[in-house]
Amino acid sequence: MLFRFAHQQFQEFYAALLVKSRLRELVDGVADADGQGFTKRFLNEPGWSEPLRMIAAELGSADASPSNAASTSKAGSMLVEMALDTDCVFASELFRLCNLSAGSPCGRLLGERLRFLYRLPEEHFRQYALAGMLESGSDRFTDIIVP
C-alpha cells in the first residue's frame, strides 16, 4: 500500500519511525547482526537521509536514564559505523547529530577513517576528508583544520 502525505516532513517523520524500529532491532540483536541489510536498504539510499538525520538528532538529544543511555549510545554508534561503509561525510553528520563522544570507539573509528582519507595523495580524497572533519564538529581534527 502506498501513502502520500500533504507535507513532506510528515512522510519523513513516519519513515523515521520505521527506520528507528529497524535500528532498535539491530541494537537488541533481533535483526541481522552485522547490519548489512539495514545499510543496503536505508544508509545507501539518499531518499532515507532525512529520516536518518531525524533519528540521529533524537538519539543525540535524548535525556535518558543511565540504563537507557547505554542503549541510546549503542544505537548512535551503530548508525554511524554502518554509515561509514557508504559515505564518510554523512557518517560525520550523523556522528555530530548523535552527540557521540570523540573519545568513544565510534569517534576513534571515524577519526581514523577520515585521517586515512586525508593522507591519500589524491586531492579529492583530502577535500572529502576535510568535509567530514568539519561536519563531525569534533575538535580532534584541529591539528589539520586550524593551520
Side-chain angles (χ1 to χ4, degrees):
M1 181 178 282
L2 180 67
F3 294 98
R4 293 190 56 83
F5 294 91
H7 196 280
Q8 182 70 25
Q9 289 225 314
F10 284 127
Q11 191 170 355
E12 290 169 348
F13 171 76
Y14 287 111
L17 292 177
L18 169 75
V19 177
K20 185 178 175 184
S21 71
R22 298 290 155 70
L23 181 61
R24 261 309 143 210
E25 290 173 357
L26 280 174
V27 171
D28 295 338
V30 177
D32 57 339
D34 60 1
Q36 287 180 341
F38 186 92
T39 300
K40 184 177 180 182
R41 181 167 181 201
F42 301 115
L43 290 165
N44 204 25
E45 294 292 331
W48 290 100
S49 60
E50 192 58 32
L52 289 164
R53 286 183 186 101
M54 289 176 170
I55 293 166
E58 182 183 336
L59 291 171
S61 66
D63 295 326
S65 63
S67 62
N68 196 22
S71 175
T72 300
S73 178
K74 182 177 179 183
S77 294
M78 287 181 76
L79 188 61
V80 171
E81 290 173 15
M82 289 184 292
L84 271 172
D85 291 337
T86 60
D87 183 351
C88 291
V89 175
F90 186 55
S92 298
E93 180 181 8
L94 294 176
F95 176 82
R96 179 180 46 80
L97 291 170
C98 285
N99 200 22
L100 296 170
S101 166
S104 68
C106 176
R108 288 192 298 274
L109 180 63
L110 177 67
E112 289 169 7
R113 182 78 53 92
L114 292 174
R115 286 179 182 278
F116 170 78
L117 289 170
Y118 186 78
R119 287 190 302 268
L120 292 174
E122 175 64 41
E123 183 63 25
H124 292 95
F125 286 114
R126 290 175 55 89
Q127 294 298 318
Y128 182 67
L130 279 172
M133 290 174 188
L134 291 169
E135 187 63 56
S136 75
S138 175
D139 61 356
R140 291 182 71 115
F141 304 111
T142 56
D143 60 316
I144 295 173
I145 295 172
V146 171

